[in-house]
Amino acid sequence: MSQTFALVDCNNFYASCERLFRPDLTTTPIVVLSNNDGCIVARSQEAKQLGIKMGTPLFKVKDLLAHHKVKVFSSNYTLYGDISQRVMQTLETLAPHIEIYSIDEAFLDLHGMQDAAAHGQTIRATVLKNVGVPVCVGIAPTKTLAKLANYAAKKYKATNGVVDLRNPQRQLKLMALTPVDEVWGIGRRLAKKLGYHGIHTALDLAQMNTRSARSRYSVVLERTIRELNGESCQPLEQVRAARQQIICSRSFGTKMTDKEEVRQAVCEFVSRAAEKLRRDRRLAGRAHVFIRTSPYYSNMATGTVLHPSDDTRDLLPLATELFDQIWKDGFRYAKAGVMLSDTCSPQALQQNLFSTPRNDALMATLDKVNNSGKGKIWFGSQRPRKDWFMTQENLSPAYTTRWKDLPVVR
DNA sequence: TCTGGGGTCCTAGGACCC
DNA sequence: TCTGGGGTCCTAGGACCC
């Protein structure tokens, strides 16, 4: 019995979330900005039609946005995370097994279902009714084909948001029409390379010899080809693996030349990363610090955490040491960041003979205060001025997760 | 084209071992 | 010393994804 996957993907997710609580914006073009209000990471349908591209820096299109009265939002991850949970909870009632693939996508196990296309319509209607977010559904015997089906469901209006791609004839037809870079796993680099070898459509790729794909490219490409041919190589992953690394990095609004200032920024990143680590209930075994001045100089230093830890006081001195190793005077720094890796769970960690008992209560209190919205506690080495950190000029309220931001009905 | 931030997986090459 | 073969582990970097 062959498998059947459904890929459910929210339409213009962040823009749809913002619109949910602003019915006055139903027909207004909307864009959502990245963390630092740096560039555009989501657009409503109307904004897409204005030719605004994904990833465009805000300053490049400021005039265009103003001219067309586009509503601009800073990203509000608290809101998106909460709406995402509601979507996923609804999806869990619509299939025996689901894999949450990203904040706005999930694979559903529909194997053995007679009329999967009709069920696809049920999924659309139910999510729209329960949460208010429009979704599209792609159905196929492999994840890669389900992705492709979803692409078609979004692109071709006549599909009514659901494409059932279980029929091999339909698979061939769609693949012949689809540029190879729309295939899941084929990015810009690979698409260009494949183009040199005369592979332009998804069908060209599907017909490529798997053996030569493996030797000339990689096992990943081989797997993609097999999946395009209906051979499922990627099972549904119901349990999410714990994060292996945590990154906190920022581009600076204005270039930095002062060592002390950059060092303080790095310390701030360490604190943020450690906070995420504790939220995950993980310990880090390794820390990395990197700095960059656009094209000329970039460097990274890596160090081992003596005893894997989630304590900011352990990580801060190490990061400072690493920072000193890579710092060079006389450059104008554009970006810095910290990565914590080799994470493990506290249970998995063997008790070390020399490890001192950690003061978890202090870190817990610190996190509690910093997340309360009532104030911030920081270490002396951090940079208290955060003018360069998290610019959010157009933030929407946390409608669903903060009492005072609840929408009021008049 | 490097513009944002946060992730994953794979591979080539070096260090080191017998 | 650079001459054989075989293996493991680690790291940096490339490619992808959302």
Side-chain angles (χ1 to χ4, degrees), chain A residues 49 92 104 126 135 153 155 163 202 259-260 273 275 332-333 337:
Chain A
Q49 276 157 9
E92 271 160 8
D104 72 332
T126 311
V135 301
K155 182 173 167 109
V163 168
K259 182 174 182 183
E260 194 50 29
E275 225 177 281
R332 302 174 67 236
Y333 289 92

Side-chain angles (χ1 to χ4, degrees), chain A residues 54 69 179 201 227 262 273 281 291 294 360:
Chain A
M54 177 75 172
K69 298 193 168 54
T201 68
E227 288 234 324
V262 181
R281 302 193 189 292
I291 50 178
S294 302
D360 290 328

Side-chain angles (χ1 to χ4, degrees), chain A residues 62-78:
Chain A
K62 241 179 168 153
D63 292 343
L64 182 76
L65 297 179
H67 183 253
H68 289 95
K69 298 193 168 54
V70 177
K71 178 69 186 163
V72 178
F73 288 95
S74 300
S75 42
N76 183 345
Y77 286 105
T78 316

